[in-house]
Amino acid sequence: MTTSLYLDHAATSPVRGEVLEAMAPFLTREFGNPSSHHTVGESAAAALEDARARVARVLGMRAGDVVFTAGGTEANNLAVKGIVLAAHACSAPTGARTDGSDASTHVITTPIEHESILESVRYLERFHGVVPTLVAVDHAGRVDPAEVAAAIRPGTALIAVGHANNEIGTIQDVAAIVAAGAQGRIPVHVDAVQSAGWLALDGLGADAIAIAGHKLGAPKGIGALAVRGRVPLEPLVHGGGQERGRRSGTENVAGAVALATALELAEAERAEAASRAGAQSARFIAGVLDAVPSARLTGDPVRRLPATASFVFPEVSGEAVLLELERRGVVSSSGSACAAGSDEPSHVLLACGFAPAVAQTSVRFTFGRTGLAGDGPERLAALVADAVAAVRA
């Protein structure tokens, strides 16, 4: 291959031309600060509120629920820390209740979540005495909603779960988890950074949803957290009280417009893009498993993101396979871009029961919305087989 075939869209995607066109005026002539009380500022404020309403419609939330952030990591931090700290401030003092149950502020999540959720939970544990429960997943990365429901106890302040895993693509039964939370009046936060544009988000019923623009064709540095107004939220960034006091700082108007535009475009194309990507990834997966008998598909073979295909190649270095693929013009990754450069095996695969040595052989391929032309999936599978053989030689 003479040019690189980019198959790392779960890490980031190029900015769409329509998005650049939509945001350009707010980087040039419509440059106002939306907090300024004059015509230039009011024009920016109107564009910001329009973007807020557009994002809310796709997420099935109200415009006032949407908080613009610097990306998915900040959105997850704000959800986990903001909701739990607000509940913690209102809870009974930490310690045993008179009925013998634990009254400590408590949060439920899983061990395969993105680092922005897991590290937020660890922060709350270290500095605020919050007690976490990490509900185990099975070999395919599926969490049982019944086990989530069973983990709820007095003091549970939040359930945080990814809609679809960023490394293996497994889709969780979010509706059942939300129902479990509703039974106990526990808010549920859903990390939809990977699922936005591939799965419907407006029917999740979650109390909070995080998305990131650069996975959708908007620039890096813009994201959003939609959190229902009935859910108390402690701000993490203090200052002038922007975003209705939930995230201070001068708003990124151009970024908000970009995010709204990219999200709407992705939603309009979602059914067609998901169908195309699902069919092509199925052909690719079949080709790899046929050509490399030792390869193992990770994640749920059916309930998975349509554009994600992740494998382990036992006894073969995943990083060496990536280098061989790049020599052949194929750009992919070993898993989460947020953990790139780490020598540690994937925490996701370890939680799924893979041995550390096997977890370190993982390679992830994530397709874009336009997919591959013609027999592209089969040719790609052949290149993967060639790369693995080269590493073994």
Side-chain angles (χ1 to χ4, degrees):
M1 300 173 68
T2 56
T3 58
S4 289
L5 178 59
Y6 183 77
L7 291 168
D8 198 19
H9 286 269
T12 197
S13 286
V15 178
R16 297 181 60 149
E18 306 98 317
V19 172
L20 282 173
E21 184 177 353
M23 69 184 294
F26 303 97
L27 295 170
T28 53
R29 65 179 183 273
E30 300 287 345
F31 58 86
N33 185 323
S35 296
S36 297
H37 296 293
H38 47 58
T39 55
V40 179
E42 288 167 359
S43 176
L48 183 68
E49 294 314 306
D50 177 67
R52 196 185 311 278
R54 291 160 62 195
V55 170
R57 278 195 294 271
V58 176
L59 301 184
M61 306 284 260
R62 296 180 179 179
D65 296 337
V66 175
V67 183
F68 287 112
T69 68
T73 288
E74 186 191 342
N76 279 331
N77 271 258
L78 179 57
V80 174
K81 295 175 184 174
I83 294 173
V84 174
L85 287 175
H88 188 66
C90 299
S91 66
T94 299
R97 301 167 76 98
T98 56
D99 61 3
S101 61
D102 188 352
S104 301
T105 303
H106 175 237
V107 61
I108 299 170
T109 188
T110 84
I112 67 168
E113 300 307 319
H114 188 269
E115 290 86 347
S116 57
I117 287 182
L118 293 176
E119 288 300 324
S120 292
V121 170
R122 290 176 186 129
Y123 162 82
L124 292 169
E125 182 181 19
R126 289 196 309 272
F127 294 102
H128 296 279
V130 171
V131 178
T133 294
L134 273 62
V135 179
V137 297
D138 66 13
H139 195 65
R142 295 171 297 226
V143 62
D144 185 347
E147 293 189 12
V148 174
I152 295 173
R153 68 190 203 192
T156 300
L158 179 69
I159 300 168
V161 64
H163 193 187
N165 186 263
N166 63 310
E167 292 190 28
I168 60 177
T170 296
I171 300 169
Q172 304 296 351
D173 188 352
V174 168
I177 294 171
V178 168
Q183 287 290 322
R185 297 185 178 181
I186 311 301
V188 176
H189 168 59
V190 173
D191 175 2
V193 168
Q194 291 296 337
S195 61
W198 293 113
L199 305 176
L201 302 180
D202 61 350
L204 292 179
D207 299 284
I209 303 174
I211 61 172
H214 72 109
K215 314 290 187 179
L216 296 162
K220 302 169 188 64
I222 185 67
L225 172 68
V227 57
R228 298 192 190 278
R230 66 174 179 269
V231 178
L233 186 73
E234 180 68 22
L236 305 185
V237 180
H238 302 90
Q242 289 89 345
E243 296 295 287
R244 295 169 173 79
R246 296 170 297 183
R247 199 263 192 182
S248 291
T250 302
E251 297 95 337
N252 178 359
V253 179
V257 171
L259 176 59
T261 303
L263 183 62
E264 285 181 333
L265 288 169
E267 179 64 16
E269 301 164 354
R270 177 170 56 81
E272 181 181 355
S275 176
R276 178 171 53 245
Q280 293 191 350
S281 65
R283 289 160 54 193
F284 169 59
I285 289 168
V288 171
L289 297 179
D290 181 61
V292 188
S294 63
R296 295 165 61 186
L297 180 71
T298 63
D300 193 303
V302 178
R303 286 184 56 82
R304 62 187 304 113
L305 285 174
T308 298
S310 180
F311 305 89
V312 289
F313 300 98
E315 301 180 359
V316 177
S317 165
E319 291 296 330
V321 172
L322 290 175
L323 291 173
E324 288 293 336
L325 283 170
E326 194 154 6
R327 291 190 184 102
R328 289 160 173 78
V330 178
V331 176
S332 54
S333 70
S334 58
S336 172
C338 297
S342 172
D343 292 330
E344 296 298 316
S346 161
H347 73 280
V348 172
L349 294 181
L350 293 180
C352 291
F354 287 90
V358 175
Q360 287 183 313
T361 72
S362 65
V363 179
R364 180 189 67 176
F365 303 87
T366 47
F367 294 69
R369 298 180 193 285
T370 57
L372 303 175
D375 64 348
E378 289 75 20
R379 289 188 292 110
L380 176 60
L383 289 170
V384 172
D386 287 347
V388 173
V391 174
R392 284 192 172 135

